[in-house]
Amino acid sequence: MHGIAAARKEFDPRSIAGCRCWLRADRGIELTSGKVTGWRNQVSGVSGDAVQDVTAKAPAMGTGNNNKPYLLFTTAEGLRWGLGLNGQSTYFVACRFTATMGVNDAWVMYLNKTSALSAIAEVTTYGGFNKMTWTADNSVATNSVGYTSPDQDQIFNLHSFGYNGGTITLPGSYNASRNGMDLAIGTGSALGPYSSWQSSIGSLVDVSNAITFGSRMELYEMIVFDRNVVAADRAAIWGYVKTRYNL
């Protein structure tokens, strides 16, 4: 190389098979009066854009870890998310919560399905533990399945949650990790169907665009796969996030 170091190419999650959605706060951002009214999926040819037509309900932007941008949610904002997945799936969320959450706060994302699996991803202080719960939608109430982990609400974390296509009420159908470390899966409380809510990010957004259960967080990045990714892929994504955000 004659003393000239080659620039290291940044990891691209789309290089991993099954990547269906990649939302990063420095790409695909559409602003209206300083608010994010559009966040475009960086995976071409599939759904997955996140939008909010009402500027007052759209998140602002800020700069945080390693001088990287984020979307700021303060409980009053939510994005409708055009992601449609059935069966196996894995979700990665890079975020930092800005306050200790209550039981009904920090609903990071919601996927509304008329059949198969629907996900309610909730990372919240719950008796001193963080909890992410998933349940079936448009069906009778079922036991949700979630992970518990030490409370790190106000620290930057990469959360992942995967579903392998098995019985939705069994802990063995799921895996979870935080910052590349596997987390134990356990059963959660019963949750009923929420058919009036749309797929959304940052809060639950109903069909009339009303927002409930809003999160308090800095959201840097989301990566979604249409399969249950293997441990090596989870490690690769954690390595990328760790480097990008100087963790």
Side-chain angles (χ1 to χ4, degrees), residues 9-19 22 43 225 227 233 236-237:
K9 185 177 181 180
E10 187 175 52
F11 174 81
D12 189 330
R14 295 170 295 190
S15 65
I16 298 178
C19 186
W22 181 25
V43 180
F225 295 85
R227 65 185 180 89
D233 293 333
I237 292 173

Side-chain angles (χ1 to χ4, degrees), residues 75-95:
T75 74
E77 303 84 11
L79 299 173
R80 299 192 307 278
W81 193 16
L83 182 70
L85 288 180
N86 288 292
Q88 293 190 26
S89 49
T90 308
Y91 300 82
F92 292 86
V93 180
C95 65

Side-chain angles (χ1 to χ4, degrees), residues 42-153:
Q42 298 303 295
V43 180
S44 61
V46 297
S47 61
D49 292 345
V51 298
Q52 175 53 261
D53 302 326
V54 179
T55 305
K57 297 181 179 182
M61 295 199 70
T63 302
N65 275 63
N66 205 24
N67 204 36
K68 303 300 184 186
Y70 58 75
L71 277 66
L72 178 64
F73 292 86
T74 66
T75 74
E77 303 84 11
L79 299 173
R80 299 192 307 278
W81 193 16
L83 182 70
L85 288 180
N86 288 292
Q88 293 190 26
S89 49
T90 308
Y91 300 82
F92 292 86
V93 180
C95 65
R96 185 183 77 85
F97 295 101
T98 58
T100 299
M101 305 300 173
V103 173
N104 291 326
D105 296 324
W107 292 60
V108 176
M109 61 183 178
Y110 174 72
L111 304 184
N112 189 7
K113 297 295 181 190
T114 56
S115 62
L117 180 77
S118 176
I120 301 174
E122 175 190 4
V123 185
T124 181
T125 300
Y126 200 117
F129 290 87
N130 285 342
K131 183 182 183 71
M132 182 180 287
T133 60
W134 289 36
T135 185
D137 186 52
N138 296 333
S139 63
V140 297
T142 62
N143 283 334
S144 60
V145 179
Y147 76 75
T148 57
S149 62
D151 184 1
Q152 298 190 43
D153 272 347

